[in-house]
Amino acid sequence: GAVVSQHPSWVICKSGTSVKIECRSLDFQATTMFWYRQFPKQSLMLMATSNEGSKATYEQGVEKDKFLINHASLTLSTLTVTSAHPEDSSFYICSASRGHVPSYEQYFGPGTRLTVT
Amino acid sequence: AQTVTQSQPEMSVQEAETVTLSCTYDTSESDYYLFWYKQPPSRQMILVIRQEAYKQQNATENRFSVNFQKAAKSFSLKISDSQLGDAAMYFCAFTNEKLTFGTGTRLTIIP
């Protein structure tokens, strides 16, 4: 149990376009979902936290207008990178948790590699 | 703010031997959780082991065990009988509201 999927696993888009990444909890209801960004050979950096039905909480330095997060249901969260630029190229990972604060175990998706040309 | 430090960027161990990965953290909180995650080349994050701060007993999961020293804010991972499949990046993580990851240790298994 506790499987999280992400779609797509890899996406290439042109500079200036927008791309949407989906994160789904397949066999449980996720009260909280998290979005991370991972640069090559670096650690995961939390971008934002979202709870179903409420606005996402963004970490300091993350542009909320560029990285739109929607947590429409207890099993789906989406990250939309708007007006993407090459510097947005990265590996994006979502995770889902059954619990609220303090965070309990997070179940991670397999990640999405975004390349902006 | 919480910080997590992994001072060993890379480690290697002979197959079947034991290796210990180090992790220290800094927090003023008393209630929190600590994790070790494994990230193989597929980049899927896999939970290895979890420790609740209020529990004095060190967590164990088969060949994986931790040495949790709360006063010293230390949380090391011991892998016994290392196997080729253990080769990966290992991240130590702290949470009481959100996960903060260390910089990772790349573990290589020597056949």
Side-chain angles (χ1 to χ4, degrees), chain B residues 27-88:
Chain B
T27 183
S28 57
E29 303 293 333
S30 59
D31 183 22
Y32 52 87
Y33 296 78
L34 294 162
F35 304 90
W36 278 97
Y37 283 93
K38 169 184 177 181
Q39 188 179 42
S42 67
R43 303 190 77 171
Q44 170 74 59
M45 295 291 285
I46 301 167
L47 177 67
V48 175
I49 201 164
R50 171 176 57 190
Q51 175 79 45
E52 290 125 336
Y54 65 87
K55 288 188 176 180
Q56 292 186 339
Q57 187 174 9
N58 289 324
T60 62
E61 286 288 341
N62 300 314
R63 297 183 295 108
F64 301 87
S65 62
V66 298
N67 183 0
F68 173 48
Q69 301 290 328
K70 190 172 183 179
K73 297 179 182 175
S74 170
F75 183 60
S76 62
L77 173 70
K78 185 172 80 172
I79 306 174
S80 303
D81 185 25
S82 298
Q83 300 175 0
L84 294 177
D86 295 333

Side-chain angles (χ1 to χ4, degrees), chain A residues 1-2 27-32 96-100 104-107:
Chain A
D27 52 2
F28 68 100
Q29 292 188 327
T31 50
T32 309
S97 171
R98 292 187 175 100
H100 291 283
Y104 296 99
E105 182 176 339
Q106 294 182 23
Y107 304 96

Side-chain angles (χ1 to χ4, degrees), chain A residues 34 36 38-39 41-44 46 59 91 93 101-106 108-110 113, chain B residues 31 33 35 37 39 42-45 47 50 91 95-99 101-104 106:
Chain A
F34 306 83
Y36 296 86
Q38 186 179 30
F39 289 106
K41 299 185 178 182
Q42 294 190 24
S43 188
L44 282 70
L46 180 65
E59 294 300 300
F91 194 67
I93 304 174
V101 173
S103 294
Y104 296 99
E105 182 176 339
Q106 294 182 23
F108 286 85
R113 183 182 302 278
Chain B
D31 183 22
Y33 296 78
F35 304 90
Y37 283 93
Q39 188 179 42
S42 67
R43 303 190 77 171
Q44 170 74 59
M45 295 291 285
L47 177 67
R50 171 176 57 190
F91 292 100
T95 186
N96 70 335
E97 289 188 8
K98 54 193 178 185
L99 271 175
F101 287 91
T103 50
R106 180 172 300 281

Side-chain angles (χ1 to χ4, degrees), chain A residues 20-36:
Chain A
K20 179 185 288 187
I21 303 169
E22 291 188 349
C23 176
R24 294 181 184 272
S25 56
L26 298 184
D27 52 2
F28 68 100
Q29 292 188 327
T31 50
T32 309
M33 285 184 163
F34 306 83
W35 286 94
Y36 296 86

